[in-house]
Amino acid sequence: IERTLSIIKPDATRRNLTGKINAKFEDAGLRIIAQKRIQLTKAQAGVFYAVHKERPFYDELCEFMASEPVVVQVLEGENAITKNREVMGATNPADAAEGTIRAEFAESVGENSVHGSDAPDTAKDEIGFFFSQLEIVG
Ligand code: GTP
Ligand code: MG
């Protein structure tokens, strides 16, 4: 059984889409074993997305992620990392498969409704970034 870190981004929390997005996760067999609503500072978003700091969109991305509250969650299930990325769809909603979260809800390549960890090592780091062990009830 695997765990991954998910973020429901500001464009989605603003439009009251948390429940609809969570239904997609649960329908795919992912269990939400930790969840909280927080607002990041731009500096905290910068640390979380440090891997992208040389990319041209880094500043815009950090500004966006700090602009309004997000919902951070730990999802658990068989192949949770891959399964979550399938449910999310491609980064750019124009390329996202029908029925995916980004196809249905994302507004643009930047404001694309969700984040999901991309590998076991990043999932472990990202879960630890937001959650203590006491907050995760598997
Ligand atoms: P995450 O799950 O959020 O990491 O998405 P991803 O793995 O599908 O995409 P990637 O790691 O390549 O990029 C991280 C995030 O940066 C994306 O989810 C977008 O929010 C943002 N991003 C990526 N490309 C662009 C871009 O060309 N322009 C802007 N404004 N944002 C981008
Ligand atoms: Mg990524």
Side-chain angles (χ1 to χ4, degrees), residues 2 19 21-23 27 29 31 41 50 53-54 63 67 74 76 78 84 90 92 95 98 102 115-116 126 130 132:
E2 194 173 63
I21 289 171
N22 280 348
D27 288 349
R31 300 183 71 82
T41 64
K53 67 174 179 293
E54 305 304 332
E63 195 80 56
S67 65
V74 181
E76 185 179 79
E78 292 296 335
N84 181 39
N92 186 339
D95 303 327
E98 197 179 324
R102 284 166 168 165
H115 163 85
E126 291 179 2
F130 288 111
S132 74

Side-chain angles (χ1 to χ4, degrees), residues 16-34:
N16 226 13
L17 294 170
T18 301
K20 284 185 172 140
I21 289 171
N22 280 348
K24 296 261 193 202
F25 295 143
E26 294 186 336
D27 288 349
L30 293 164
R31 300 183 71 82
I32 301 162
I33 61 166

Side-chain angles (χ1 to χ4, degrees), residues 103-114:
E104 283 192 25
F105 303 126
E107 307 206 285
S108 65
V109 66
E111 306 207 359
N112 60 0
S113 303
V114 281

Side-chain angles (χ1 to χ4, degrees), residues 2-7 48 73 75 80-85 88 114-127:
E2 194 173 63
R3 292 176 175 180
T4 191
L5 189 278
S6 166
I7 305 178
F48 181 78
Q73 13 181 230
L75 307 180
I81 296 167
T82 302
K83 188 176 282 181
N84 181 39
R85 292 184 71 83
M88 288 163 57
V114 281
H115 163 85
S117 307
D118 58 12
D121 58 327
T122 49
K124 189 168 185 293
D125 289 351
E126 291 179 2
I127 289 169

Side-chain angles (χ1 to χ4, degrees), residues 9 49 52 57 60-61 85 91 102 109-110 112 115-116:
K9 294 184 178 181
Y49 277 118
H52 294 309
F57 57 79
E60 190 185 329
L61 174 61
R85 292 184 71 83
T91 309
R102 284 166 168 165
V109 66
N112 60 0
H115 163 85

